[in-house]
């Protein structure tokens, strides 16, 4: 989300994955929601469903708003803790200051629409990335630059679509190859391993020839 546009397609190939037991993913956010999972799964979420679940008011908000992503975002948030359910970050002022980052080129900073349009179907997907998000630009020219406000806003909009019934946790076998549309599908590794349990994947991000399409 800095210098390079998000890839169009991502592939995951399984070299080694532990088998034989399952785990319970507890969302730990007061909802009591839980999801039984294969060990070492990848959880897939539909960005299109995430958009479709929004109210009409929120759909209009994200169709007309943009996210500005931080320079060197994954260095910037290297000390920051994630929310317990994995959706976004906790705002404890642990981000690195600009002086702690590599040299910043303003022309490499990326600003993308919150909703991305599928060029074939016209369908919209909510593809905001809450982890590297820095600012939100609204239709009227307002810029939300308070990090906690940015993160809380994205969390409110995205949380309904990660409830257990909307998650596809793939049960990997060694040799599996999965390709998915990175402009419409989100993914996350899930699980906790013992020392003798090893998960080895090969991931290939297939470069985009264009940025995400504005609605």
């Amino acid at each position: 989300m800095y210098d390079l546009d998000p890839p169009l397609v991502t592939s995951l190939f399984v070299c080694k994955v532990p088998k034989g037991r399952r785990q319970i993913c507890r969302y730990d956010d007061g909802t009591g929601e839980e999801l039984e999972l294969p060990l070492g799964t990848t959880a897939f979420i539909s960005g299109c469903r995430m958009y479709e679940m929004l109210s009409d008011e929120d759909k209009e908000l994200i169709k007309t708003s943009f996210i500005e992503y931080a320079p060197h975002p994954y260095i910037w948030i290297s000390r920051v803790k994630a929310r317990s359910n994995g959706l976004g970050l906790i705002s404890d002022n642990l981000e690195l200051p600009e002086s702690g980052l590599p040299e910043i080129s303003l022309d490499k900073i990326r600003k993308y629409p919150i909703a991305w349009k599928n060029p074939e179907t016209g369908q919209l997907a909510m593809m905001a990335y809450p982890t590297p998000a820095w600012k939100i630009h609204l239709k009227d020219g307002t810029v939300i630059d308070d990090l906690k406000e940015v993160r809380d806003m994205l969390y409110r909009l995205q949380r309904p679509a990660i409830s257990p019934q909307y998650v596809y946790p793939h049960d990997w076998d060694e040799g599996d190859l999965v390709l998915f549309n990175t402009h419409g599908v989100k993914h996350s590794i899930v699980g906790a391993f013992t020392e003798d349990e090893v998960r080895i994947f090969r991931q290939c991000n297939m470069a985009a020839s264009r940025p995400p399409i504005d609605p």
Side-chain angles (χ1 to χ4, degrees):
M1 311 304 276
Y2 176 74
D3 191 18
L4 298 175
D5 291 324
L8 289 174
V9 177
T10 294
S11 68
L12 290 171
F13 175 78
V14 185
C15 301
K16 186 175 180 63
V17 66
K19 301 289 285 187
R21 67 187 180 94
R22 297 177 70 83
Q23 293 186 321
I24 300 294
C25 174
R26 296 187 174 90
Y27 282 57
D28 194 27
D29 60 0
T31 62
E33 291 190 324
E34 296 181 347
L35 179 61
E36 185 184 1
L37 301 162
L39 181 65
T41 187
T42 302
F44 293 95
I45 306 292
S46 168
C48 296
R49 178 180 283 118
M50 187 174 280
Y51 172 79
E52 291 163 0
M53 292 178 68
L54 297 171
S55 68
D56 289 343
E57 182 180 6
D58 283 337
K59 285 179 180 176
E60 182 62 23
L61 170 67
I62 72 162
K63 282 195 298 184
T64 58
S65 300
F66 290 76
I67 294 181
E68 182 177 337
Y69 292 95
H72 305 290
Y74 296 101
I75 300 174
W76 175 63
I77 55 101
S78 57
R79 300 185 305 184
V80 183
K81 295 180 180 179
R83 290 178 183 265
S84 58
N85 60 15
L87 183 63
L89 302 175
I90 297 171
S91 296
D92 283 336
N93 297 314
L94 295 177
E95 294 78 15
L96 292 178
E98 186 175 329
S99 60
L101 299 177
E103 183 178 354
I104 296 171
S105 298
L106 295 180
D107 62 334
K108 294 181 179 180
I109 292 176
R110 291 294 185 255
K111 186 173 79 171
Y112 297 121
I114 299 181
W116 298 2
K117 185 177 181 179
N118 185 306
E120 299 297 325
T121 67
Q123 192 172 20
L124 299 182
M126 184 180 179
M127 294 304 294
Y129 283 74
T131 299
W134 191 22
K135 301 176 183 178
I136 295 178
H137 296 251
L138 303 180
K139 181 181 180 180
D140 65 3
T142 300
V143 178
I144 301 173
D145 57 7
D146 179 88
L147 265 182
K148 186 177 188 308
E149 187 176 353
V150 168
R151 290 169 177 164
D152 287 349
M153 176 179 168
L154 294 177
Y155 186 81
R156 178 185 69 80
L157 295 167
Q158 295 186 297
R159 173 59 181 86
I162 71 162
S163 285
Q165 65 269 34
Y166 304 124
V167 178
Y168 169 59
H170 187 69
D171 191 358
W172 294 104
D173 287 316
E174 291 176 10
D176 279 358
L177 173 65
V178 168
L179 295 95
F180 60 94
N181 170 19
T182 318
H183 285 208
V185 175
K186 293 178 174 291
H187 75 291
S188 177
I189 184 174
V190 183
F193 306 100
T194 61
E195 288 187 3
D196 60 340
E197 290 172 331
V198 178
R199 184 186 193 272
I200 302 174
F201 279 50
R202 292 177 181 168
Q203 178 172 331
C204 178
N205 297 327
M206 300 173 197
S209 56
R210 57 165 176 80
I213 298 175
D214 188 324

